[in-house]
Amino acid sequence: MKTKLVILFLLLLPIVDLFFACCPCDVTTKHVKYSHKTLSLKNLDNSGENAIESEASELNKNAYGIRLYLAREKNTIAQNIKQINSIFIQSAYATSCECPPEYIFSASDSIISIKIFTLNNFDNQHFENSDITDYFRIAHTYSSVKDHLTSIHYTYEYDIQELTEKTLEIDLLLMIAPEINSNHQFKIQIALSDGRVLEQQTREVKLL
């Protein structure tokens, strides 16, 4: 019996060495904070298979949308990382034979609300400067704007260059066509958790 155990032990040693050799992780994960900085908007034409950005002066009122771009800006790399965090990160990735990420990005602010206002008379209940957020839905999921905010993730594992190019993109589709006028323009306000409010207006467009 002892002889068998010795032989088994000797056979397992190369396998153990191979496991550790395939995980030569010597990475100290750096934590990077970023914040949401600038808002830009594009009109969308949703009359085709997919919604596309449009500079046209006239669009189908039953296939209109707004693409929201929220740019993110990198802040400072946290130099002092808590030891307990490093231990758990290293352990978790070692069991899967993968190295931990070099950078973990997390937001210093979050989106509290997104509101959409019509700058023109829209229908008999919504005149100039009325809040019509409920008339829009998120593309693909058709969830409300309020519900969509609860699904946004603010922590990412990227290399440092990728986050500087990362932009939050949200497609808002108008589900109820306007009943008054044909010229329409919209304003979007984004309230952030640090008290800032980002605001932009769409280009005026005829919705026919």
Side-chain angles (χ1 to χ4, degrees):
M1 183 64 180
K2 288 183 178 181
T3 304
K4 290 182 179 180
L5 287 175
V6 171
I7 293 172
L8 180 61
F9 178 75
L10 292 174
L11 290 174
L12 288 176
L13 277 177
I15 298 175
V16 173
D17 289 339
L18 180 62
F19 174 79
F20 283 104
C22 75
C23 297
C25 294
D26 187 19
V27 176
T28 301
T29 301
K30 298 179 181 66
H31 291 255
V32 181
K33 287 289 186 179
Y34 69 88
S35 57
H36 300 89
K37 289 297 182 181
T38 57
L39 171 65
S40 58
L41 307 174
K42 292 288 186 180
N43 287 330
L44 290 180
D45 179 356
N46 192 39
S47 59
E49 183 176 352
N50 298 303
I52 58 172
E53 295 180 10
S54 175
E55 298 292 332
S57 59
E58 297 181 357
L59 289 173
N60 185 340
K61 66 180 181 180
N62 295 303
Y64 174 76
I66 302 171
R67 178 162 291 162
L68 178 160
Y69 288 105
L70 188 56
R72 296 162 170 171
E73 184 176 290
K74 177 171 58 69
N75 295 337
T76 341
I77 296 177
Q79 298 295 339
N80 299 320
I81 301 168
K82 292 181 180 179
Q83 185 63 28
I84 188 169
N85 288 341
S86 297
I87 291 172
F88 282 121
I89 290 172
Q90 294 282 0
S91 299
Y93 280 87
T95 56
S96 62
C97 204
E98 296 179 6
C99 290
E102 187 174 355
Y103 296 95
I104 292 180
F105 298 91
S106 56
S108 57
D109 52 57
S110 58
I111 302 172
I112 299 299
S113 67
I114 297 177
K115 293 182 179 181
I116 307 163
F117 299 88
T118 177
L119 298 182
N120 304 72
N121 294 338
F122 193 88
D123 57 27
N124 292 327
Q125 289 77 43
H126 298 88
F127 299 104
E128 181 180 350
N129 293 319
S130 294
D131 184 341
I132 59 168
T133 308
D134 289 341
Y135 279 11
F136 285 82
R137 287 292 182 268
I138 303 299
H140 307 301
T141 65
Y142 292 97
S143 60
S144 68
V145 174
K146 183 178 179 180
D147 287 343
H148 180 70
L149 293 182
T150 63
S151 68
I152 296 177
H153 298 287
Y154 295 101
T155 301
Y156 303 91
E157 297 177 2
Y158 289 123
D159 69 36
I160 197 165
Q161 184 60 33
E162 284 178 315
L163 183 81
T164 60
E165 300 170 354
K166 187 69 177 176
T167 302
L168 178 62
E169 181 179 317
I170 300 175
D171 283 355
L172 304 161
L173 302 182
L174 181 62
M175 306 304 293
I176 299 177
E179 298 175 357
I180 301 177
N181 299 322
S182 60
N183 290 338
H184 288 278
Q185 189 175 16
F186 303 93
K187 176 177 69 178
I188 291 185
Q189 288 182 347
I190 296 182
L192 299 173
S193 59
D194 61 4
R196 289 179 298 134
V197 177
L198 304 179
E199 180 179 297
Q200 284 293 339
Q201 298 178 8
T202 64
R203 289 178 64 255
E204 188 174 70
V205 63
K206 286 186 178 182
L207 297 180
L208 304 175

